[in-house]
Amino acid sequence: MKYEDFAKDYDPLNITEKETISHLRGIFEYHLENTPYWKRMKKKVNLDEIFEGKLEDVFENIFNSNLAVSEKYLRNNWLDFLPNNYRGKVRFYQSSGTTRERGILHWDYEYMKLLVKYSKASFDEIYKLNEIYNEEYRMRALAHGPYGWYQEEISELVWSYGGVLYFIGIETYNLKEKVERYGGNVPELRPLKIYTERVLEKDNINTVKTAPPLLSLFSKKAEEIQTILTGGLDLTPQKFKEIQEMFPNAEVIPLYGHYGFGTNVGIVKRDMLLYYPNYPFTIIFPLVCRDERVEIVNYNEKGKMGIIMARPELLVVKIEDEDIYRVPPTKPFKWDGFGNPKREVG
């Protein structure tokens, strides 16, 4: 199974339900034969029974077949999810670790290219970034964040617009707790502040990607910033409005990031932050347990985030400890999204 089989026909905003189901089944068939974790599950899995009905039915069947991996197991046994003798540009990435122990998962670099294709197509269709940045007016971006997928993804995205990027890395482990305790005086943030100010003094930055609490570093250049990419569980509808007021000339774009699949693009609608996964590689529905059976909730109802990451190099079925709302398709996306993600405290 190779990425070249997907890349030639991948149209990120025109994925049908039939294509998603077909892709998902092909990924399961491959990993059940080649991946340590899934090979051990093979006798417990009847794909003909699982892949009956609509996508929602298939999704529920997968979770009700007890195929979800626990957080603890995944964090300690990530190598079980790499196919035997897989040939590709594989790199292992860590989660940011801002709120909990770091996890590790792997990506094929070819997936990165398709993820950026999804992001760029979404940005251009929704936010018209291709009409702002071109050969005559170049994207000049500054990004903060952990090293790993975050750095790779923003680099590829900026380059896709012909832009240039400053990336200022930061040690993010346990950072949220430190910020809550010490405010903006966290020692780990001092180099980031110094280098951000140095860049802003010398270059005309028009694009920013950072967490909401760090946007204050750009307040002196607020009227010059034209695009802001921001996300994280700190981003709420109210915080989003505050950012828009702080940067009156900027298009503020909400993002949802995950170390296992990267960034999902968001839309603000009716005071909700709506995010749409990059089908068919990432499928997300909110789930609840009723009568000992896992079910997808109705629209505008809340449940736990159920994720299926389905790629040639990685198949993970997982329930996250985040509450999300189920939201219907919104143009240009033709599939369900999720709204206002919030992680339980404690």
Side-chain angles (χ1 to χ4, degrees):
M1 180 169 282
K2 300 178 181 179
Y3 268 95
E4 62 191 43
D5 299 329
F6 304 97
K8 58 183 178 181
D9 297 320
Y10 179 55
D11 185 352
L13 299 181
N14 289 291
I15 305 297
T16 66
E17 180 173 301
K18 182 178 179 180
E19 288 172 329
T20 299
I21 294 174
S22 176
H23 168 84
L24 192 56
R25 175 150 190 164
I27 292 295
F28 264 91
E29 290 173 347
Y30 173 75
H31 284 278
L32 286 169
E33 294 293 334
N34 295 281
T35 304
Y37 176 84
W38 292 106
K39 287 174 71 174
R40 294 196 297 269
M41 292 287 183
K42 186 175 180 180
K43 293 182 179 179
K44 303 177 183 179
V45 177
N46 186 325
L47 292 182
D48 291 332
E49 290 182 358
I50 288 175
F51 284 86
E52 288 186 349
K54 300 173 64 176
L55 179 60
E56 291 92 332
D57 300 318
V58 172
F59 195 89
E60 289 179 347
N61 290 342
I62 288 170
F63 280 88
N64 284 305
S65 298
N66 297 317
L67 298 182
V69 60
S70 71
E71 176 74 19
K72 182 178 180 180
Y73 186 90
L74 186 62
R75 286 179 182 274
N76 290 292
N77 299 279
W78 63 86
L79 287 173
D80 276 3
F81 296 87
L82 178 66
N84 295 326
N85 301 314
Y86 182 83
R87 295 291 181 263
K89 300 176 182 178
V90 172
R91 182 176 292 170
F92 290 89
Y93 291 134
Q94 295 184 99
S95 62
S96 63
T98 53
T99 59
R100 57 184 177 179
E101 182 185 353
R102 279 190 166 125
I104 298 175
L105 281 175
H106 58 276
W107 296 24
D108 188 315
Y109 205 86
E110 295 303 313
Y111 169 67
M112 180 73 70
K113 295 179 182 178
L114 298 185
L115 176 63
V116 170
K117 188 174 182 179
Y118 147 84
S119 296
K120 188 176 190 305
S122 303
F123 292 153
D124 292 348
E125 184 68 24
I126 302 166
Y127 300 104
K128 311 300 180 186
L129 294 195
N130 57 327
E131 297 178 9
I132 300 174
Y133 304 108
N134 48 49
E135 293 182 358
E136 296 181 359
Y137 185 70
R138 199 173 192 186
M139 178 182 284
R140 307 189 74 84
L142 190 155
H144 298 145
Y147 294 105
W149 69 264
Y150 189 99
Q151 179 185 18
E152 303 285 359
E153 185 183 353
I154 186 61
S155 298
E156 293 285 351
L157 179 67
V158 171
W159 296 335
S160 74
Y161 284 99
V164 295
L165 170 69
Y166 295 89
F167 184 83
I168 302 177
I170 183 173
E171 173 52 60
T172 55
Y173 180 71
N174 208 26
L175 185 60
K176 185 174 182 180
E177 180 180 327
K178 293 177 182 177
V179 170
E180 290 174 350
R181 181 178 299 178
Y182 302 110
N185 297 318
V186 177
E188 287 88 344
L189 291 179
R190 190 168 185 273
L192 179 142
K193 292 179 179 180
I194 292 172
Y195 295 123
T196 297
E197 291 172 357
R198 183 180 299 178
V199 171
L200 293 177
E201 287 175 1
K202 297 291 185 180
D203 207 340
N204 297 317
I205 298 300
N206 53 34
T207 302
V208 171
K209 185 175 185 184
T210 191
L214 298 177
L215 281 168
S216 60
L217 296 176
F218 301 89
S219 59
K220 293 181 180 180
K221 300 282 186 176
E223 295 187 358
E224 300 173 22
I225 304 299
Q226 292 178 268
T227 305
I228 293 174
L229 307 171
T230 191
L233 296 178
D234 290 329
L235 186 62
T236 63
Q238 178 58 39
K239 184 62 179 178
F240 186 86
K241 289 181 181 179
E242 294 173 4
I243 295 170
Q244 287 180 313
E245 293 172 358
M246 186 187 306
F247 297 89
N249 299 321
E251 186 74 76
V252 185
I253 303 175
L255 303 174
Y256 178 88
H258 189 284
Y259 77 106
F261 57 76
T263 297
N264 285 171
V265 176
I267 300 171
V268 180
K269 189 174 183 180
R270 299 191 188 97
D271 294 324
M272 284 193 73
L273 302 175
L274 314 181
Y275 302 96
Y276 289 85
N278 54 321
Y279 270 43
F281 306 111
T282 310
I283 306 169
I284 295 175
F285 285 102
L287 299 173
V288 294
C289 186
R290 296 190 179 107
D291 299 324
E292 298 184 355
R293 178 177 170 80
V294 172
E295 296 181 0
I296 296 172
V297 303
N298 296 321
Y299 286 124
N300 300 316
E301 291 184 355
K302 185 169 64 175
K304 290 295 181 185
M305 177 183 282
I307 302 176
I308 299 178
M309 299 174 235
R311 312 198 297 266
E313 81 280 17
L314 178 70
L315 174 61
V316 170
V317 178
K318 192 171 184 294
I319 297 179
E320 291 282 6
D321 61 353
E322 291 174 21
D323 292 317
I324 57 174
Y325 288 89
R326 183 183 178 189
V327 296
T330 298
K331 290 183 178 180
F333 303 106
K334 300 178 179 179
W335 49 87
D336 283 358
F338 59 96
N340 288 2
K342 184 177 181 181
R343 183 173 297 161
E344 286 187 355
V345 178

